[in-house]
Amino acid sequence: DNARLSYSEIGKSVGISRVAVKKRMDAMENAGVIRGYRTVIDEEQAQEGIRYTIDIEALPEEYPNVVKTLQDDPKLEEIYSTTGECRIHCVGRSRNKSTMEAHVNYLFNHTKGIRKVSWHILMSDLRKGSVDAESKN
């Protein structure tokens, strides 16, 4: 449950020595049972600002130009092509609603070839159980 525990702490909790824990951990790593250690970051806690999505419909002849502009935009964390003619879905992050709106308006008004744009603020990750789905019915 906690990859940062020391061998001594693990040994105390399971009743074996620190040396025995290290040998067992090394053996499990070598056997491929333990494939690695990772850090799990809660994005809502780690980064400031709000996340939002932008859905863009581009003119077919300007689609490559629109994609290039979006790829070069540091405020956009993810960019996807989607079904439908020349549609793009982006995920971005801004300090607040005002900077988000300014960003989206700038993209719409200064990127040649965007036919239509809509955006939405992401509220919560429902997979984490932060909203009771039953109470929303």
Side-chain angles (χ1 to χ4, degrees):
D1 290 335
N2 183 353
R4 295 185 66 164
L5 287 176
S6 69
Y7 295 137
S8 294
E9 291 170 308
I10 294 170
K12 286 178 188 175
S13 69
V14 295
I16 60 176
S17 73
R18 172 187 58 80
V19 174
V21 170
K22 175 152 179 32
K23 284 182 182 178
R24 291 181 185 192
M25 296 287 288
D26 288 345
M28 288 189 286
E29 287 173 8
N30 291 334
V33 174
I34 296 175
R35 296 186 308 182
Y37 303 91
R38 66 185 194 135
T39 302
V40 179
I41 297 173
D42 184 333
E43 289 184 28
E44 292 175 6
Q45 299 293 325
Q47 296 191 11
E48 294 181 17
I50 56 171
R51 289 188 69 190
Y52 55 96
T53 63
I54 307 171
D55 291 306
I56 294 171
E57 184 179 324
L59 298 169
E61 64 274 13
E62 294 294 335
Y63 184 80
N65 174 55
V66 173
V67 169
K68 176 72 173 121
T69 299
L70 297 172
Q71 288 172 333
D72 292 342
D73 189 325
K75 291 183 178 168
L76 298 177
E77 298 174 343
E78 302 170 42
I79 304 167
Y80 302 96
S81 61
T82 65
T83 57
E85 186 179 356
C86 300
R87 293 182 188 248
I88 305 164
H89 177 81
C90 307
V91 178
R93 186 176 298 277
S94 278
R95 287 189 313 268
N96 54 47
K97 289 191 300 185
S98 297
T99 58
M100 176 207 64
E101 187 171 10
H103 177 237
V104 174
N105 285 329
Y106 180 85
L107 284 174
F108 183 67
N109 293 319
H110 293 90
T111 304
K112 183 179 178 187
I114 293 181
R115 176 185 301 171
K116 183 179 175 184
V117 65
S118 64
W119 65 93
H120 307 276
I121 296 173
L122 298 175
M123 299 300 289
S124 59
D125 186 342
L126 300 176
R127 294 173 298 168
K128 294 181 183 177
S130 57
V131 174
D132 180 12
E134 293 297 318
S135 67
K136 297 290 181 188
N137 291 331

